[in-house]
C-alpha cells in the first residue's frame, strides 16, 4: 500500500499564548485517535504551534484504508422470508448471498463480505472538522459577517496530501497550498509544493520557526548566551519560557539594563514586575543576587538592535519606579497600623472580616506553638501581622507577593526575625511539593490559618463539591497533613480542629464541623498514598481505626506496606480474614482471657503459647509507634495460625472450650487490630 505525507496548517490572527500548547496538543491527539480508528497507518505525527498558526505533519500516511472482512448475523433461519430479505437488503446483497450457519442457539442467516477501504483523501476532511470542533476553546469569537466561531479569526488553510491540495472547506475557509511568512520579515504568501517541506520552507523563506519545541530551545540558548556575555546567570522560569515562545515566530534575545538604585527594592518585587508586565528574564550574579539587567525576546531581527533595547529600557523604567514608590510609601506606616483597617475587609460574609480571622488564627496558633515547643508570644504577634500586608500598595499591585512583602515590612518595622519569617511562611506549602514552613512560629501560623478556613467553611455548609473548591480546602487540608507529617509533629488532628472550632460561634453546622473536617482530611491520605504507590486496601486498613494523629496514620501505612512484602503476609492476611468472619457472627465480643487448663489440642497449645510470648512485646512496640517492628514480630504467628485452623474446630461442642478458643481468636484480632485491620488486605 502506498503512503504520502499529509500537512494541515490553520492560519489565524494571533492565538492566546496561554492556550497555544493545549490547542496544539488537542489537535494532535484528536487526529492521532481518528487515524488509528480508521486503520490509517503512519510513521510519525509532528505538531507545530506558533502565534499565527497550528499545524500537523503526518509522515508516511497510508493512502487508503485496508479492506475489512465483515461478518453479520441476521435473523433465525426459521424467521419469515421477508425478515431475511430485509436483513440481506441492509447488507447490500440479495437473499441468495446469505449463508445459514448452525450455532448453539440454532440456525441463523449470516452475511460475510468485504468492505473496501476508503481513500485517506476522502476521510481526512471529516477528521479535521471533528478535531477543530473538539478543541478546548473556553470562549469562541466571530469575525466580520461570518457566523463561524473559533478562538481567533481564521485567515488561511493549507491541506496537502503529498504534493496535491486536499480539497476541503473548514471554518468557511477553502484549503490551498499557500501559507504565510513572518508578519514583518516576510509579509507574503509562501507556496508549499509538498507537505514534507513545510518546516524548512517556513524557516528559510518566511522567517518563521513553526516548531514550538525548537523555538523554545532557541530562546533558552539565546537567553543563556546573553546572560553569559554579561557575566551573569539567567533564571529561566519554564512557564515564562513557554509564554514568550507562544508570542514569537522568530525569537531574538536582547539584553537591557536598569538603574542600580532599583535594587534597593526587594528583588522579588522587581522580578515579578519584569516577568508579569514585560515578560523579561532576570539575571543573578555568582552570589545569586539580582543584577540590574534583563533579557527580552524580540519577534524581529532588527538591523539596529540597540533601538529595540533602548525602547525596552524606557518601558521598564517607570514600571520599576512604580514598584519602588509603592515599597517606599508602604514602609512609612508600620504593619500593625493596618490591623484595625482589616475590620473593613470581608473574608467571607458568614465568617466575618479578615480582622476576625486574624484573631481566630492568633488563638489557634498560640495553642499550637505551646504544643510544639514554640514561642507563644511570637505566634500571637505573627498572627496579628500575618494579613496586614494585604492592605499595602505593593501587594495590591503584586498580589503574588503577599506574605513575602509582610516579611520585608516586618523586618523594617523592627519585628523579631522569626515573627517576620512566619508572616512569609504562613502560605507554605502553596502547591504540591512546595517547601514547608521551617520555623516553629511559621508552622503554628500556617496550621492555624488553614484549620480556621477548613472549620469555618464546613461550619457554614460550604465543603468542596465535585470539582468545585473555591477556597482550595483540599489543598489546605493536604498542607496541614504535610506540615504535621514531614515535620514529625506529634499533634492530634481532632484536638486541633476542636481548638479551631472553639473560636467560632453560632454557625449553622458548627457542632459537626470539626468531625466532618476530620473525616475529610483523613480522606486526603487516600490520594497521598496513591502517589506513594501504597494501595487503597492499605489505606482502608488504617482508615477503619481512625487514628487522629496524622504522623501515626502515615507510620501505620508504611508499616503495613512493608508487611505485605513479607513471605508470611498472604497467609496471615487470609488467617485474619477468617478470624474476622468467625467473630463477626457472634452476638457479643468474647473475652481475651485464655484458660490454659482448657487447652487440649497441640495446635491450640502452640498458638496460645505464641500469643503469650508476643502479646507484651507487640503491645509495647505498638505503644511506641514501632508498627513495622510489631508486624514483623507478628509474622512469626503464621505457622501456629495455619496449624490451628487445620487441626482445631473452633466451635467445639463444649461451651467452655469454644469460648476459650474464641478468646484466642479475639486476642489475635486485637494484636493485629492495634496496628491496622489486616483483613482489609484480603481484597
Amino acid at each position: 500500500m502506498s503512503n504520502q505525507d499529509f500537512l494541515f496548517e490553520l492560519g489565524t490572527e494571533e492565538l492566546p499564548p496561554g492556550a497555544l500548547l493545549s490547542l496544539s496538543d488537542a489537535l494532535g491527539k484528536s487526529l492521532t485517535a481518528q487515524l488509528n480508528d480508521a486503520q490509517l497507518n503512519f510513521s510519525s505525527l509532528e505538531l507545530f504551534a506558533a502565534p499565527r498558526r497550528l499545524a500537523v505533519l503526518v509522515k508516511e500516511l497510508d493512502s487508503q484504508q485496508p479492506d475489512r472482512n465483515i461478518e453479520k448475523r441476521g435473523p433465525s433461519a426459521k424467521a419469515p422470508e421477508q425478515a431475511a430479505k430485509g436483513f440481506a437488503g441492509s447488507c447490500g446483497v440479495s437473499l441468495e448471498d446469505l449463508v445459514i450457519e448452525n450455532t448453539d442457539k440454532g440456525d441463523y442467516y449470516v452475511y460475510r463480505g468485504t468492505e473496501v477501504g476508503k481513500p485517506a483523501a476522502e476521510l481526512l476532511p471529516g477528521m479535521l472538522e471533528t478535531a477543530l470542533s473538539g478543541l478546548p476553546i473556553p470562549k469562541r469569537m466571530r469575525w466580520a459577517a461570518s457566523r463561524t466561531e473559533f478562538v481567533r479569526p481564521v485567515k488561511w488553510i493549507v491541506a496537502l496530501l503529498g504534493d496535491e491540495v486536499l480539497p476541503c472547506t473548514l471554518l468557511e475557509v477553502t484549503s490551498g497550498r499557500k501559507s504565510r511568512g513572518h508578519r514583518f520579515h516576510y509579509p507574503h504568501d509562501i507556496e508549499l509544493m509538498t507537505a514534507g517541506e513545510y518546516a524548512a520552507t517556513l524557516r528559510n523563506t518566511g522567517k518563521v520557526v513553526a516548531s514550538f519545541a525548537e523555538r523554545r530551545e532557541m530562546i533558552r540558548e539565546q537567553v543563556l548566551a546573553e546572560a553569559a556575555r554579561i557575566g551573569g546567570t539567567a533564571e529561566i522560569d519554564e512557564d515564562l519560557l513557554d509564554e514568550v515562545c507562544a508570542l514569537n515566530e522568530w525569537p531574538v534575545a536582547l539584553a537591557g539594563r536598569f538603574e542600580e538604585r532599583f535594587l534597593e527594592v526587594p528583588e522579588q518585587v522587581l522580578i515579578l514586575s519584569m516577568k508579569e508586565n514585560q515578560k523579561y528574564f532576570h539575571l543573578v550574579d555568582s552570589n545569586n543576587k539580582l543584577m540590574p539587567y534583563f533579557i527580552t525576546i524580540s519577534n524581529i531581527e532588527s538591523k539596529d538592535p540597540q533601538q529595540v533595547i533602548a525602547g525596552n529600557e524606557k518601558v521598564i523604567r517607570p514600571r520599576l519606579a512604580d514598584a519602588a514608590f509603592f515599597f517606599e510609601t508602604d514602609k512609612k506606616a508600620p504593619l500593625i497600623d493596618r490591623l484595625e483597617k482589616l475590620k473593613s475587609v470581608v473574608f467571607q460574609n458568614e465568617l466575618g472580616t479578615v480582622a476576625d480571622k486574624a484573631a481566630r488564627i492568633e488563638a489557634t496558633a498560640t495553642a499550637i506553638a505551646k504544643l510544639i515547643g514554640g514561642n507563644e508570644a511570637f505566634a500571637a504577634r505573627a498572627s496579628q501581622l500575618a494579613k496586614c500586608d494585604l492592605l499595602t500598595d505593593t501587594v495590591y499591585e503584586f498580589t503574588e507577593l503577599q506574605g513575602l512583602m509582610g516579611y520585608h515590612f516586618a523586618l523594617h518595622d523592627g519585628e523579631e526575625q522569626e515573627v517576620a519569617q512566619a508572616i512569609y511562611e504562613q502560605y507554605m506549602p502553596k502547591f504540591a511539593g512546595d517547601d514547608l514552613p521551617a520555623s516553629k512560629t511559621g508552622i503554628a501560623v500556617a496550621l492555624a490559618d488553614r484549620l480556621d478556613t477548613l472549620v469555618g467553611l464546613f461550619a457554614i455548609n460550604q465543603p468542596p463539591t465535585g470539582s468545585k473548591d473555591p477556597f482550595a480546602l483540599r489543598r489546605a487540608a493536604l498542607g496541614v497533613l504535610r506540615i504535621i507529617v514531614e515535620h514529625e509533629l506529634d499533634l492530634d488532628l481532632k484536638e486541633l480542629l476542636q481548638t479551631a472550632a472553639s473560636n467560632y460561634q453560632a454557625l449553622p453546622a458548627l457542632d459537626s464541623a470539626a468531625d466532618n473536617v476530620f473525616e475529610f482530611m483523613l480522606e486526603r491520605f487516600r490520594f497521598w498514598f496513591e502517589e506513594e504507590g501504597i494501595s487503597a486496601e492499605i489505606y482502608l486498613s488504617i482508615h477503619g481505626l481512625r487514628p487522629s494523629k496524622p504522623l501515626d496514620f502515615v507510620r501505620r501505612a508504611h508499616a503495613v506496606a512493608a508487611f505485605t512484602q513479607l513471605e508470611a503476609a498472604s497467609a496471615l492476611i487470609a488467617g485474619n480474614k477468617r478470624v474476622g468472619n468467625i467473630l463477626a457472627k457472634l452476638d457479643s465480643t468474647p473475652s481475651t482471657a485464655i484458660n490454659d487448663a482448657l487447652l487440649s489440642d497441640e495446635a491450640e497449645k502452640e498458638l496460645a503459647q505464641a500469643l503469650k510470648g508476643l502479646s507484651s512485646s507487640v503491645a509495647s512496640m505498638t505503644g511506641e509507634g514501632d508498627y513495622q517492628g510489631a508486624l514483623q514480630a507478628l509474622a512469626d504467628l503464621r505457622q501456629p495460625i495455619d496449624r490451628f485452623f487445620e487441626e482445631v474446630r473452633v466451635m467445639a461442642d463444649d461451651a467452655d472450650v469454644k469460648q476459650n478458643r474464641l478468646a484466642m481468636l479475639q486476642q489475635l484480632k486485637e494484636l493485629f487490630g492495634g496496628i491496622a485491620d489486616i483483613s482489609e488486605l484480603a481484597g
Side-chain angles (χ1 to χ4, degrees):
M1 182 180 293
S2 63
N3 55 56
Q4 302 175 86
D5 294 344
F6 170 63
L7 170 69
F8 170 68
E9 182 191 50
L10 181 73
T12 69
E13 292 292 351
E14 274 75 2
L15 293 161
L20 186 61
L21 273 179
S22 61
L23 292 172
S24 177
D25 184 59
L27 178 63
K29 286 181 177 178
S30 178
L31 284 178
T32 299
Q34 291 183 79
L35 291 171
N36 288 335
D37 288 345
Q39 295 183 294
L40 286 170
N41 297 317
F42 55 94
S43 62
S44 65
L45 185 146
E46 186 176 359
L47 297 174
F48 300 89
R52 297 193 298 146
R53 66 199 76 223
L54 294 171
V56 181
L57 177 62
V58 184
K59 301 287 287 184
E60 299 179 323
L61 176 67
D62 284 349
S63 59
Q64 185 168 331
Q65 288 178 303
D67 294 344
R68 189 164 60 99
N69 292 326
I70 298 173
E71 181 175 309
K72 294 182 180 180
R73 192 171 80 172
S76 167
K78 297 178 181 179
E81 184 176 314
Q82 195 63 31
K85 286 183 177 180
F87 170 65
S90 69
C91 296
V93 297
S94 62
L95 183 60
E96 291 74 22
D97 295 315
L98 303 180
V99 297
I100 295 177
E101 188 172 279
N102 180 262
T103 72
D104 55 356
K105 295 183 179 180
D107 293 339
Y108 283 84
Y109 284 103
V110 173
Y111 166 70
R112 292 190 180 91
T114 301
E115 181 180 77
V116 178
K118 294 181 179 179
E122 184 180 325
L123 297 170
L124 285 169
M127 293 181 180
L128 294 173
E129 185 172 0
T130 298
L132 293 176
S133 65
L135 293 182
I137 303 172
K139 189 174 183 180
R140 295 173 180 263
M141 64 178 293
R142 295 175 184 167
W143 55 94
S146 172
R147 303 300 294 174
T148 299
E149 293 184 344
F150 196 60
V151 62
R152 289 293 185 269
V154 177
K155 296 299 184 180
W156 75 90
I157 287 177
V158 174
L160 292 179
L161 190 57
D163 59 1
E164 298 290 333
V165 173
L166 177 74
C168 60
T169 300
L170 302 166
L171 301 170
E172 297 187 3
V173 177
T174 302
S175 62
R177 62 171 70 248
K178 291 182 179 180
S179 182
R180 296 187 188 176
H182 191 282
R183 190 182 289 277
F184 305 111
H185 285 308
Y186 193 83
H188 311 292
D189 290 343
I190 299 175
E191 190 167 15
L192 300 168
M193 303 314 295
T194 66
E197 70 180 35
Y198 174 70
T201 301
L202 256 64
R203 179 169 187 146
N204 297 332
T205 302
K207 287 284 191 176
V208 171
V209 180
S211 167
F212 191 96
E214 182 182 351
R215 219 165 50 251
R216 177 168 47 194
E217 291 314 304
M218 280 178 62
I219 295 171
R220 188 194 303 276
E221 291 173 7
Q222 290 180 24
V223 168
L224 293 175
E226 280 294 293
R229 182 180 63 80
I230 294 169
T233 300
E235 297 275 300
I236 297 181
D237 180 289
E238 294 299 320
D239 290 337
L240 177 59
L241 183 61
D242 282 346
E243 187 173 4
V244 296
C245 183
L247 289 166
N248 294 276
E249 291 187 321
W250 190 259
V252 177
L254 300 170
R257 182 183 176 88
F258 58 85
E259 292 97 319
E260 290 195 28
R261 66 185 176 88
F262 291 127
L263 294 178
E264 297 175 7
V265 179
E267 62 181 33
Q268 294 87 351
V269 178
L270 304 180
I271 291 169
L272 193 60
S273 181
M274 288 189 284
K275 174 184 170 183
E276 296 295 321
N277 296 324
Q278 304 306 129
K279 314 305 176 190
Y280 293 163
F281 296 94
H282 65 278
L283 282 70
V284 295
D285 61 20
S286 57
N287 296 317
N288 207 36
K289 296 296 183 182
L290 184 66
M291 298 176 69
Y293 295 94
F294 63 87
I295 297 175
T296 183
I297 306 300
S298 173
N299 193 33
I300 59 172
E301 192 170 345
S302 176
K303 294 178 181 178
D304 186 3
Q306 193 55 47
Q307 287 277 25
V308 180
I309 294 170
N312 280 275
E313 290 177 340
K314 184 177 180 180
V315 170
I316 193 62
R317 190 175 297 112
R319 290 285 189 181
L320 299 185
D322 284 347
F325 174 77
F326 294 145
F327 181 64
E328 291 302 321
T329 301
D330 289 332
K331 287 195 299 183
K332 292 177 180 178
L335 270 182
I336 195 64
D337 285 1
R338 295 176 173 86
L339 181 59
E340 183 70 20
K341 297 176 183 178
L342 287 176
K343 292 180 179 179
S344 63
V345 181
V346 175
F347 167 61
Q348 201 279 340
N349 285 334
E350 294 179 75
L351 302 181
T353 66
V354 176
D356 296 328
K357 181 173 179 62
R360 296 192 299 267
I361 292 173
E362 180 182 351
T364 303
T366 305
I368 293 173
K370 184 176 182 180
L371 291 172
I372 64 175
N375 187 308
E376 295 174 58
F378 285 0
R381 184 63 172 179
S383 300
Q384 294 167 4
L385 298 172
K387 307 301 178 184
C388 290
D389 69 349
L390 297 178
L391 293 181
T392 63
D393 290 336
T394 310
V395 172
Y396 182 81
E397 182 71 14
F398 306 105
T399 56
E400 297 92 333
L401 297 181
Q402 55 186 289
L404 179 60
M405 294 314 303
Y407 163 80
H408 286 290
F409 293 135
L411 288 181
H412 176 266
D413 295 344
E415 300 287 349
E416 295 285 349
Q417 171 68 35
E418 187 166 333
V419 170
Q421 185 176 342
I423 297 172
Y424 174 57
E425 292 179 335
Q426 66 177 302
Y427 297 106
M428 295 180 172
K430 296 179 181 179
F431 49 84
D434 189 24
D435 293 337
L436 300 179
S439 68
K440 289 186 177 181
T441 303
I443 289 170
V445 176
L447 288 175
D449 189 3
R450 289 165 173 80
L451 292 168
D452 176 75
T453 301
L454 284 159
V455 170
L457 270 294
F458 271 74
I460 58 173
N461 294 310
Q462 288 195 30
T465 56
S467 61
K468 294 182 178 180
D469 188 6
F471 283 87
L473 298 187
R474 293 185 181 93
R475 189 171 66 210
L478 191 58
V480 169
L481 297 177
R482 277 195 62 203
I483 291 170
I484 294 174
V485 172
E486 294 181 33
H487 278 300
E488 298 188 347
L489 301 175
D490 188 34
L491 293 175
D492 189 298
L493 189 56
K494 278 191 172 181
E495 292 178 4
L496 295 182
L497 291 167
Q498 289 294 346
T499 299
S502 68
N503 298 318
Y504 284 103
Q505 293 181 345
L507 295 178
L510 183 58
D511 290 345
S512 60
D515 289 338
N516 290 338
V517 174
F518 177 73
E519 294 299 328
F520 170 75
M521 293 184 71
L522 289 192
E523 187 67 20
R524 298 304 98 203
F525 275 126
R526 181 192 295 270
F527 306 101
W528 177 316
F529 294 151
E530 189 176 289
E531 291 186 358
E532 289 188 0
I534 295 176
S535 70
E537 289 76 19
I538 292 176
Y539 161 77
L540 292 171
S541 74
I542 313 297
H543 182 264
L545 305 182
R546 299 295 196 282
S548 58
K549 294 184 176 182
L551 181 59
D552 186 62
F553 199 120
V554 170
R555 285 175 173 169
R556 289 172 188 261
H558 288 164
V560 175
F563 166 76
T564 59
Q565 303 303 310
L566 299 177
E567 184 181 348
S570 58
L572 286 167
I573 291 167
N576 268 271
K577 187 74 171 178
R578 190 169 180 181
V579 168
N581 290 339
I582 292 171
L583 297 177
K585 296 175 182 177
L586 303 179
D587 294 331
S588 59
T589 302
S591 164
T592 57
I594 300 172
N595 185 345
D596 291 344
L598 294 175
L599 301 174
S600 56
D601 291 344
E602 286 302 316
E604 65 178 337
K605 289 180 181 178
E606 181 184 8
L607 180 58
Q609 187 63 34
L611 287 171
K612 186 180 295 183
L614 285 173
S615 292
S616 60
S617 62
V618 169
S620 176
M621 284 187 279
T622 300
E624 294 172 0
D626 182 11
Y627 303 117
Q628 193 160 336
L631 285 172
Q632 184 75 48
L634 288 170
D636 293 339
L637 291 174
R638 173 187 175 179
Q639 191 275 332
I641 292 173
D642 287 348
R643 185 183 178 194
F644 178 84
F645 281 121
E646 287 173 5
E647 301 179 15
V648 176
R649 186 162 69 91
V650 177
M651 310 304 280
D653 295 333
D654 185 301
D656 290 337
V657 172
K658 180 178 74 172
Q659 287 302 317
N660 203 48
R661 291 172 178 172
L662 289 172
M664 295 171 65
L665 298 188
Q666 183 63 30
Q667 191 176 131
L668 182 65
K669 179 184 177 182
E670 291 184 7
L671 274 177
F672 278 95
I675 304 167
D677 183 359
I678 300 299
S679 64
E680 283 282 356
L681 305 179

